[in-house]
Amino acid sequence: MQQQRRRVPGGWLLAVPVTTGAAGGVAPLVADLLLLAAALGAVVVLWRNGGRVAPGARGWRSLRGWRLLAVAVVLGVVSNAAVGLLDGVSRAGLFDPTDQLVPMPAVALALVAVLTLPTGAQLRSGGARLLTETALFFSAAMVLAQVLVIGPALDGQPLTAPDRQVLELACVLTAAILSAVLVLVSLSSGARRASGALLLLSAGTWAGAHGLAVAGEELALPLLTNGVTGAQLSALLLVCLAAHRDPGADAVAAPSRTADRLSLAGQLLPHVVLVVAAGVYLGAPLLGADPSHAAGVALLCCLALTAAQRAVAARDEARVGGRLRRSEAYFRSLVRSSSDAVLILDGELRVTWAAPSLRPPAGAPALVGRRLAEAVHPEDAEAVRAWLAGVTAPGPSPQVQTPAAQTPAAPTGLCDFRLRDATGAWRVLEAGVSDLRDDADVHALVLHCRDVTARLDREHELSSLAFTDPLTGLPNRAAQRLALSGLLDELAAPAPAEGAPEDVALLLIEVQGLRDAHDHAGRDVVDVALVEVARRLRATVRAEDQVARIGVELFSVLAHGTGDEPDRVAARCLSVIEAPVTTEAGIVDLTAAVGLAPLPAGLTQREVVDRAELALVDARAAGAGSVRRYRAELTAARDRREQLRRDLVGARERGELGLVWQPIVALADHRVTGVEALLRWRHPVYGDVPPDEFLPVAERAGLVVELQRWVLRTATAAAAALPVHGVELRLGVNVSGQYLTAGTLVGDVTSALRESGLSPERLVVEIDESALVGAHVVADVTALRLMGVHLALDDFGRGNSSLPGLGRLPVDIIKLDRALLSRVDRDPYTRAVCEAVVALGTALHVDVVAEGVETASQLGVLSGLGCGYAQGFLLSRPVGLAGLVELLAAHDGLLWPGLVGQGRTS
């Protein structure tokens, strides 16, 4: 907005010749009125612009600069009017030497006004050079005044000494004003220098008007006299234009060619005026004029001042040159000592200067004078050309060419390239660029180069550490993920015209047997075995197949191939792992389980790894030496487990969990002596979920302790309320190993018995044999037996049950597992085992309960072996609490196959 307001309308420039031409052909009275109106208008313009340039000035401080010049114009108008009234004859009197005394105060005030336009600091900064140039200009102007003004006045009429002194003083003031304006031009910068040039032109026009008046009167040339009014009007218009263009002394000067040209013109103007003055002085005798002695003295002063100015200029130039040399040496030393080397390129991208640290090896072509793309490593040439052309590209771009007729765009970002050092080795430089092609002093591209060779070497070492397994030297999990992501990106990309890429499968190989080797031979033997396994795997697969170690016992292979080739690769990997590994400590036998997942397009890295892990879990469940390919059923089963895990939270509060009861019958008298409380879950989506499925889920989710605590409280409360038919029924409740490990079983049993009122002798806690491990568990079991609670060894015969250890366990009841009873009526070995357990129980006074009795033949064999108790579908399926009460009441506590539909037996 400020620049728009200061912009000068084009009508100002048109007003100068129009008004000047019009003023020369009108009557003297009209010309005087026109001049008076222009002067008053100039006063208004100068006063307003003076307030704009110095808005903060108040009081007498505001009366300076343009406002003081406005006062001088007003005083000049009043002085000219006074001269006209005193003469009362004609306009010629205005220029009579004797009448010059009256306007002199206005001229002196104008001189002071011009000197207040620059600041005091600017005036002090001019120095001796500005002083000599101003004095030279003043002396040359005095020579012109003596020859062109005073000389004709003296020749036209004799002047008294006072009159001549007045005329001389008028010339001195005129030359002083011109000199003061020249000082303003020299000290100003930017737009203010242009304003000063207009003011200098205005002052020169004003001085020329007075010269025209004197010359016209004395030489009897009316044409010159008629041009005085026009010149005065032009001077007023120019001074208004100068004030309008003035931005103020505090304005920030923007560099421009016009300001530079005006600065050069201001330095040359004193010498130009001197040449003109010398020419006029020497040419005056040819025209019949006789220059005065004062003009000669002034010309001699000009010559002396010229010599002084030249000496001052030489001294200043020497000082500036010295400072420039010291500054150049200073910055050159800084550049040489900087860790960042500098390259300077011209418009054709040739090296014009290079830091000493970039000196090429002896015998190699010099770097200066060559194109940078020709000096770098050949592999980096295209990238450097593209970068210098202003193209951001990740790699070489031979198609990018910069037209010769266009200025290339500025390079952006950083670029890495290699240059040979003094030893001939390639050094990697990271270069940033400063585009100084538009700088008038530089006209070049400046490249700031940093040697990053050591940093890249360290990054490479860190990358090797980050992506390499330190033991085997194979890629690690991070490297495997990068390779897998790259393969998935290739699969997602459009297939090339020459054909689709090969299929890829991810193999997860879990080595088994390392823990046994560690227990028997130590860590060193395990390391040797792992290194050997890694070597064998790498030698088994193809070169493009990546083998990585992604876990302690886990390897992965990204196998390429079509059809069943990945399956054959998995089989070969399994065979080389199962081959014996010879170590100093002996032979190490290993095996493995392999999960295989193909890489179809559209999957994410997480999904592929998830599929391979599911296949590995399936292979692990199938047994050692198994290879399993991923199937959709594995994901469905996993999703079902995850859904059950989520839904198990809050299932009790939603009423989805409940208890069923299975009777335990004494084989001697067919009477129900106990019941086992079994947990059931009716899922709203999946229906009845068997305990064998959701209890392991509850254990992994950490919910089994809370569930079994609820079963314990609910079952004891229900058992205490059961009716008695001959004997009080015992209550069997299953307790998992995780519940035992939690350490809250004793307290929970105590709380449940106290709340329900059930006697401790009626409670049977059923525990798996594998859970009876650890001093803490044995202490809790002992505490329960001391309370009177019975302890049953559940699922005996499943897994690694042993007869020798049975006698040392703190149990009261042994429950034979259904897996052992399934062949008791057909297999002599199974029958013998059951007979041994029954006999051992009789000898140790431990009751034996047969679980899962489903056929009459099984029941008959167990009765013959002397087994005391049985439960199973043959006797009764698990029933609800109401069904149990009804079942007991139907036969007064008796339960035996064939009793259904009969009357009551004794």
Side-chain angles (χ1 to χ4, degrees):
M1 296 297 295
Q2 189 71 11
Q3 290 181 347
Q4 292 178 358
R5 191 179 66 203
R6 294 178 183 174
R7 189 173 181 179
V8 181
W12 282 74
L13 302 178
L14 184 63
V16 175
V18 172
T19 308
T20 302
V26 299
L29 180 60
V30 176
D32 289 341
L33 293 177
L34 182 61
L35 185 62
L36 178 61
L40 294 178
V43 169
V44 175
V45 172
L46 292 175
W47 189 266
R48 292 184 60 184
N49 281 280
R52 175 182 59 81
V53 171
R58 295 292 184 269
W60 64 272
R61 294 181 181 273
S62 63
L63 196 62
R64 55 179 298 162
W66 298 112
R67 286 192 170 183
L68 189 59
L69 190 59
V71 175
V73 173
V74 172
L75 185 59
V77 170
V78 174
S79 301
N80 288 335
V83 170
L85 292 175
L86 290 175
D87 291 343
V89 179
S90 66
R91 290 169 49 86
L94 179 65
F95 300 100
D96 195 305
T98 59
D99 297 331
Q100 299 301 312
L101 187 61
V102 175
M104 281 185 186
V107 177
L109 187 60
L111 174 61
V112 175
V114 172
L115 290 176
T116 57
L117 284 174
T119 63
Q122 289 177 333
L123 291 174
R124 290 190 295 271
S125 66
R129 184 169 182 173
L130 179 61
L131 181 61
T132 55
E133 289 179 352
T134 306
L136 177 61
F137 179 81
F138 177 80
S139 300
M142 288 303 300
V143 172
L144 292 175
Q146 289 291 334
V147 176
L148 298 180
V149 178
I150 298 178
L154 293 177
D155 293 339
Q157 59 181 342
L159 296 177
T160 62
D163 292 338
R164 180 171 180 175
Q165 291 175 359
V166 170
L167 188 58
E168 293 278 0
L169 182 58
C171 292
V172 169
L173 289 177
T174 302
I177 289 180
L178 292 174
S179 301
V181 178
L182 180 63
V183 170
L184 175 65
V185 174
S186 300
L187 295 178
S188 301
S189 59
R192 192 155 219 237
R193 182 170 289 167
S195 174
L198 291 173
L199 185 59
L200 181 62
L201 185 60
S202 173
T205 304
W206 172 78
H210 286 72
L212 289 175
V214 174
E217 290 293 333
E218 301 302 332
L219 299 177
L221 294 176
L223 181 62
L224 296 179
T225 305
N226 292 336
V228 171
T229 302
Q232 290 175 336
L233 285 173
S234 298
L236 290 173
L237 291 173
L238 288 172
V239 75
C240 293
L241 183 60
H244 188 81
R245 290 286 301 270
D246 186 14
D250 298 330
V252 178
S256 64
R257 294 185 177 181
T258 302
D260 295 339
R261 291 171 181 172
L262 290 176
S263 177
L264 179 61
Q267 295 177 9
L268 294 178
L269 187 60
H271 303 280
V272 172
V273 175
L274 172 61
V275 172
V276 173
V280 171
Y281 182 83
L282 297 176
L286 299 178
L287 298 176
D290 184 16
S292 63
H293 295 292
V297 173
L299 185 60
L300 291 177
C301 289
C302 288
L303 296 177
L305 288 172
T306 301
Q309 191 273 340
R310 185 62 261 175
V312 172
R315 184 198 63 183
D316 292 345
E317 290 172 359
R319 290 178 178 176
V320 172
R323 285 197 298 268
L324 287 177
R325 286 190 297 272
R326 289 192 298 272
S327 177
E328 181 181 1
Y330 173 76
F331 286 105
R332 189 181 295 274
S333 299
L334 287 181
V335 170
R336 288 177 176 175
S337 62
S338 174
S339 59
D340 292 349
V342 175
L343 282 173
I344 299 179
L345 310 182
D346 60 11
E348 297 181 356
L349 305 181
R350 296 182 183 275
V351 180
T352 59
W353 189 85
S357 59
L358 300 178
R359 182 173 61 253
L367 191 58
V368 176
R370 300 173 63 191
R371 294 182 183 271
L372 180 61
E374 299 172 356
V376 301
H377 194 281
E379 296 177 0
D380 302 333
E382 292 299 328
V384 170
R385 291 192 185 97
W387 178 62
L388 292 177
V391 178
T392 303
S397 302
Q399 295 82 7
V400 178
Q401 299 292 338
T402 302
Q406 299 179 358
T407 301
T412 57
L414 300 175
C415 181
D416 292 347
F417 53 83
R418 287 165 284 182
L419 275 177
R420 289 190 184 275
D421 60 5
T423 64
W426 289 105
R427 309 294 294 179
V428 183
L429 302 179
E430 182 184 72
V433 63
S434 297
D435 188 4
L436 301 180
R437 288 175 289 186
D438 295 334
D439 193 306
D441 299 324
V442 182
H443 293 297
L445 289 174
V446 181
L447 271 60
H448 308 275
C449 306
R450 175 171 297 179
D451 191 339
V452 295
T453 307
R455 188 191 73 188
L456 292 179
D457 291 341
R458 290 193 297 270
E459 290 178 355
H460 179 71
E461 293 176 0
L462 292 175
S463 177
S464 299
L465 293 175
F467 295 100
T468 304
D469 178 58
L471 177 62
T472 63
L474 294 177
N476 60 9
R477 183 182 293 273
Q480 183 246 17
R481 289 179 178 175
L482 286 178
L484 183 58
S485 298
L487 289 173
L488 291 174
D489 292 341
E490 291 179 6
L491 292 173
E498 58 269 15
E502 283 188 303
D503 295 335
V504 185
L506 173 62
L507 278 62
L508 292 183
I509 305 172
E510 184 180 68
V511 180
Q512 300 173 351
L514 292 174
R515 295 182 182 178
D516 293 338
H518 180 273
D519 295 339
H520 292 90
R523 177 76 259 175
D524 294 339
V525 173
V526 173
D527 291 345
V528 172
L530 284 172
V531 172
E532 178 61 19
V533 168
R535 186 195 65 79
R536 292 178 182 180
L537 291 176
R538 182 64 266 175
T540 301
V541 302
R542 297 190 295 186
E544 62 268 24
D545 297 342
Q546 186 205 57
V547 179
R549 185 187 179 208
I550 60 176
V552 178
E553 302 173 345
L554 194 61
F555 291 83
S556 72
V557 177
L558 289 173
H560 295 71
T562 57
D564 62 345
E565 288 187 48
D567 297 87
R568 294 198 296 271
V569 171
R572 291 199 303 270
C573 292
L574 184 61
S575 64
V576 298
I577 291 175
E578 290 180 339
V581 178
T582 303
T583 65
E584 294 181 357
I587 295 177
V588 177
D589 291 322
L590 301 175
T591 185
V594 183
L596 187 151
L599 270 66
L603 291 184
T604 64
Q605 174 188 331
R606 181 61 261 174
E607 291 171 339
V608 172
V609 174
D610 183 63
R611 290 185 172 190
E613 290 175 348
L614 289 175
L616 179 60
V617 172
D618 189 33
R620 188 187 303 132
S626 301
V627 177
R628 290 292 184 270
R629 178 181 278 263
Y630 168 78
R631 308 183 310 277
E633 293 82 358
L634 298 177
T635 299
R638 191 273 315 275
D639 293 343
R640 177 183 170 96
R641 289 192 300 270
E642 291 297 320
Q643 186 66 40
L644 291 177
R645 181 184 62 80
R646 291 190 295 268
D647 294 343
L648 192 57
V649 179
R652 180 170 58 84
E653 290 77 5
R654 295 191 298 269
E656 298 172 6
L657 296 178
L659 295 179
V660 294
W661 311 81
Q662 188 172 34
I664 300 174
V665 179
L667 299 183
D669 56 2
H670 305 168
R671 182 172 296 279
V672 178
T673 60
V675 291
E676 181 179 358
L678 302 174
L679 180 63
R680 292 294 184 265
W681 182 15
R682 181 173 293 276
H683 193 275
V685 176
Y686 301 124
D688 290 332
V689 182
D692 292 343
E693 181 179 3
F694 74 81
L695 285 179
V697 173
E699 288 184 357
R700 289 192 295 270
L703 301 173
V704 69
V705 174
E706 184 63 29
L707 288 179
Q708 291 187 346
R709 182 181 293 120
W710 175 80
V711 170
L712 180 64
R713 292 178 178 176
T714 305
T716 53
L722 286 175
V724 177
H725 296 278
V727 295
E728 290 185 337
L729 300 181
R730 289 183 178 181
L731 170 65
V733 178
N734 286 290
V735 173
S736 67
Q738 191 174 10
Y739 195 1
L740 277 174
T741 307
T744 63
L745 179 60
V746 176
D748 293 340
V749 169
T750 303
S751 177
L753 294 176
R754 183 175 61 252
E755 293 174 1
S756 64
L758 187 71
S759 62
E761 291 78 11
R762 294 180 59 188
L763 179 62
V764 179
V765 176
E766 300 181 5
I767 303 173
D768 190 81
E769 182 181 357
S770 61
L772 295 173
V773 178
H776 174 69
V777 173
V778 174
D780 285 352
V781 169
T782 303
L784 290 176
R785 297 187 72 192
L786 291 176
M787 290 170 54
V789 177
H790 296 284
L791 186 68
L793 183 63
D794 197 16
D795 298 331
F796 184 82
R798 179 193 299 178
N800 298 322
S801 301
S802 62
L803 289 175
L806 185 60
R808 295 190 296 269
L809 295 177
V811 296
D812 304 300
I813 301 171
I814 299 174
K815 300 190 73 171
L816 296 176
D817 188 68
R818 69 182 67 241
L820 185 62
L821 299 180
S822 61
R823 296 169 57 87
V824 70
D825 55 342
R826 302 188 304 274
D827 184 17
Y829 175 78
T830 303
R831 186 183 303 113
V833 172
C834 292
E835 184 178 6
V837 174
V838 171
L840 182 61
T842 303
L844 298 176
H845 303 287
V846 174
D847 294 332
V848 178
V849 179
E851 287 185 290
V853 179
E854 298 179 356
T855 65
S857 61
Q858 293 175 355
L859 184 60
V861 170
L862 292 171
S863 298
L865 294 177
C867 182
Y869 303 90
Q871 70 179 100
F873 288 174
L874 178 65
L875 299 172
S876 174
R877 290 180 176 273
V879 295
L881 185 61
L884 176 63
V885 173
E886 182 180 353
L887 179 65
L888 294 175
H891 300 285
D892 196 20
L894 297 179
L895 182 62
W896 195 254
L899 288 180
V900 178
Q902 297 182 4
R904 180 176 178 180
T905 60
S906 58

